[in-house]
């Protein structure tokens, strides 16, 4: 009898103890058993009770006792275990479930121009329950138009990051990020997702629900954003440069030769990135002069007057030193790594 090989890996780095991660892991395991997927948990919590509870629990569960104390390394350990064509990244405070009566999308039959499949996403808090539900797709046929489409539809929420993606798109992007990005900041998830959308459309699977726990983000958005910068050693004022850094990161991610883009498609992606994200930052600088010093204002003016994309990037990398001295050299190395990825 032929044994069906799984098409999907649910990849979960887990640092919470058993009491705080049990519901999440059990929901993922129930879903994996329902659809014939595999769940990969890379556990660096050091909680022996958790290990005893889950290790060997199911043939659908690959439980890794991770020695990595660094969150990024543990994340890559979970991802690197994915040997299936598709994967779903998942946090160990979130939950997923299968909706009975809904037909799941056939992953094996997806056209080549589809980068992934998004679930029905529930934005949830412990105190308020489900706040909003998202099901929007990314349908544009052209890579650059998909960037503009997501910018219109996302409305400040990047929960679509927790979707099913092609493994050969997601893992190399995350490996470049973890190994070469100047900060490895959590704020980079927007640029990562946008770069994946350049590779293909996103469909919707109504049989999969992903409950995203807002946690502390629900109470103090400004403080949580500032904490993302503090965690990676950046000044809290880095938030004034958010769209600028998103622009620069997306540009560099989009340069990867392994992205399935034709030269003209790549050029149009880079130009759309300028029109959407860079233009937003260049508008902010004169509108809020109290947030930017003279050097930033001067370099931003040079960028605004420039029409050559390579010169724009050179000036943009120079500008990163205004955020933090030494950041420029780290961005140069990131750019070089992307060109070889």
């Amino acid at each position: 009898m032929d044994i069906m090989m799984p098409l999907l890996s649910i990849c979960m780095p887990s640092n919470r103890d058993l009491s705080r991660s049990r519901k999440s892991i059990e929901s993922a395991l129930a879903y994996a058993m329902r659809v014939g997927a595999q769940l990969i948990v890379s556990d660096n919590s050091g909680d022996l009770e958790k290990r005893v509870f889950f290790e060997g629990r199911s043939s659908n569960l690959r439980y890794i006792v991770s020695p990595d104390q660094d969150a990024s390394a543990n994340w890559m350990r979970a991802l690197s275990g994915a040997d299936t064509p598709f994967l779903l990244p998942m946090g160990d405070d979130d939950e997923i479930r299968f909706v009975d009566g809904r037909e799941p999308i056939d992953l094996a039959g997806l056209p080549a121009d589809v980068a992934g499949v998004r679930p029905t996403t529930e934005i949830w808090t412990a105190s308020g329950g489900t706040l909003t539900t998202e099901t929007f797709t990314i349908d544009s046929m052209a890579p650059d138009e998909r960037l503009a489409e997501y910018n219109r539809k996302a409305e400040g929420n990047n929960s679509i990051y927790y979707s099913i993606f092609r493994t050969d798109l997601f893992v190399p992007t995350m490996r470049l990020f973890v190994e070469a990005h100047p900060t490895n900041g959590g704020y980079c998830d927007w640029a990562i997702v946008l770069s994946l959308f350049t590779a293909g459309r996103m469909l919707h699977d109504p049989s999969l629900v992903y409950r995203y726990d807002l946690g502390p983000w629900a109470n103090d958005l400004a403080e949580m954003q500032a904490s993302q910068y503090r965690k990676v050693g950046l000044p809290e004022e880095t938030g004034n440069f958010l769209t600028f850094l998103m622009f620069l990161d997306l540009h560099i991610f989009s340069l990867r030769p392994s992205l399935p883009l034709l030269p003209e498609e790549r050029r149009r992606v880079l130009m759309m990135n300028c029109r959407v994200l860079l233009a937003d930052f260049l508008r902010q600088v004169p509108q809020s002069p109290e947030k930017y010093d003279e050097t930033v204002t001067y370099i931003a003016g040079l960028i605004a007057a420039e029409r050559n994309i390579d010169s724009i990037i050179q000036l943009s990398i120079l500008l990163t030193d205004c955020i933090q001295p030494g950041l420029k050299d780290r961005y140069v190395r990131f750019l070089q790594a992307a060109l070889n990825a």
Side-chain angles (χ1 to χ4, degrees), residues 121-188:
T121 307
E122 295 177 347
I123 310 301
W124 182 90
T125 65
S127 59
T130 300
L131 305 180
T132 60
T133 300
E134 298 175 343
T135 60
F136 69 81
T137 54
I138 305 297
D139 306 312
S140 298
M141 300 304 293
D144 58 318
E145 291 299 329
R146 288 194 287 271
L147 299 185
E149 182 181 357
Y150 185 61
N151 188 61
R152 291 193 306 270
K153 291 181 173 180
E155 297 182 348
N157 191 315
N158 197 41
S159 59
I160 199 173
Y161 174 88
Y162 295 101
S163 293
I164 295 171
F165 290 99
R166 292 189 185 274
T167 303
D168 59 3
L169 287 175
F170 194 89
V171 172
T173 302
M174 292 305 302
R175 183 170 289 118
L176 172 63
F177 171 66
V178 168
E179 295 179 356
H181 191 273
T183 71
N184 276 183
Y187 64 88
C188 300

Side-chain angles (χ1 to χ4, degrees), residues 38-336:
Q38 65 175 350
L39 169 62
I40 303 170
V41 176
S42 184
D43 177 23
N44 68 350
S45 68
D47 182 358
L48 181 58
E49 182 185 10
K50 178 180 174 183
R51 175 178 178 178
V52 170
F53 189 83
F54 281 114
E55 200 169 38
R57 176 89 168 265
S58 168
S59 60
N60 293 83
L61 171 62
R62 189 185 310 174
Y63 190 87
I64 301 169
V65 179
S66 171
D68 302 307
Q69 292 308 303
D70 177 72
S72 293
N74 193 44
W75 181 212
M76 285 310 302
R77 189 174 293 275
L79 289 178
S80 298
D83 54 4
T84 52
F86 295 89
L87 62 79
L88 169 66
M90 182 173 174
D92 70 348
D93 55 344
D94 300 330
E95 296 181 23
I96 59 175
R97 67 179 185 272
F98 185 88
V99 180
D100 288 324
R102 295 295 182 95
E103 188 69 24
I105 279 185
D106 176 19
L107 296 177
L110 288 181
D113 70 336
V114 173
V117 178
R118 62 107 19 96
T120 295
T121 307
E122 295 177 347
I123 310 301
W124 182 90
T125 65
S127 59
T130 300
L131 305 180
T132 60
T133 300
E134 298 175 343
T135 60
F136 69 81
T137 54
I138 305 297
D139 306 312
S140 298
M141 300 304 293
D144 58 318
E145 291 299 329
R146 288 194 287 271
L147 299 185
E149 182 181 357
Y150 185 61
N151 188 61
R152 291 193 306 270
K153 291 181 173 180
E155 297 182 348
N157 191 315
N158 197 41
S159 59
I160 199 173
Y161 174 88
Y162 295 101
S163 293
I164 295 171
F165 290 99
R166 292 189 185 274
T167 303
D168 59 3
L169 287 175
F170 194 89
V171 172
T173 302
M174 292 305 302
R175 183 170 289 118
L176 172 63
F177 171 66
V178 168
E179 295 179 356
H181 191 273
T183 71
N184 276 183
Y187 64 88
C188 300
D189 59 347
W190 279 86
I192 291 170
V193 163
L194 284 167
S195 73
L196 295 171
F197 294 162
T198 67
R201 297 177 291 128
M202 292 292 290
L203 307 183
H204 171 229
D205 185 345
S207 72
L208 170 59
V209 175
Y210 190 107
R211 196 188 78 178
Y212 176 75
D213 185 354
L214 272 181
W217 286 91
N219 301 319
D220 194 338
L221 180 61
E223 168 55 27
M224 289 303 297
Q225 288 176 330
S227 72
Q228 286 192 319
Y229 305 125
R230 288 197 300 266
K231 285 179 182 177
V232 295
L234 292 175
E236 292 186 12
E237 296 76 18
T238 302
N240 297 331
F241 296 87
L242 179 58
T243 54
F244 168 73
L245 289 175
M246 198 186 305
F247 154 75
L248 187 55
D249 287 342
L250 176 55
H251 179 93
I252 295 175
F253 280 128
S254 299
L255 292 178
R256 286 198 297 117
S258 55
L259 270 180
L261 295 175
L262 298 173
E264 176 59 18
E265 289 178 328
R266 194 183 307 274
R267 186 193 71 81
R268 291 173 64 89
V269 163
L270 300 181
M271 296 309 298
M272 180 63 77
N273 188 25
C274 288
R275 288 196 293 271
V276 175
L277 295 178
L278 180 60
D280 181 75
F281 171 73
L282 294 177
R283 284 191 297 269
Q284 290 177 34
V285 175
Q287 289 174 357
S288 304
E290 73 282 0
K291 295 181 179 179
Y292 306 98
D293 63 25
E294 291 181 359
T295 304
V296 172
T297 302
Y298 175 71
I299 298 176
L302 294 178
I303 294 173
E306 186 57 63
R307 292 296 175 264
N308 180 275
I309 186 66
D310 292 330
S311 298
I312 288 173
I313 296 306
Q314 289 173 6
L315 288 167
S316 296
I317 290 177
L318 179 65
L319 180 56
T320 62
D321 252 17
C322 298
I323 301 172
Q324 184 179 68
L327 195 55
K328 169 177 65 68
D329 293 337
R330 289 147 67 190
Y331 261 99
V332 169
R333 291 193 289 270
F334 180 35
L335 175 62
Q336 293 169 340

Side-chain angles (χ1 to χ4, degrees), residues 26-39:
E26 287 189 328
S27 78
L29 182 56
Y31 181 84
M33 295 172 68
R34 174 68 174 77
V35 302
Q38 65 175 350
L39 169 62

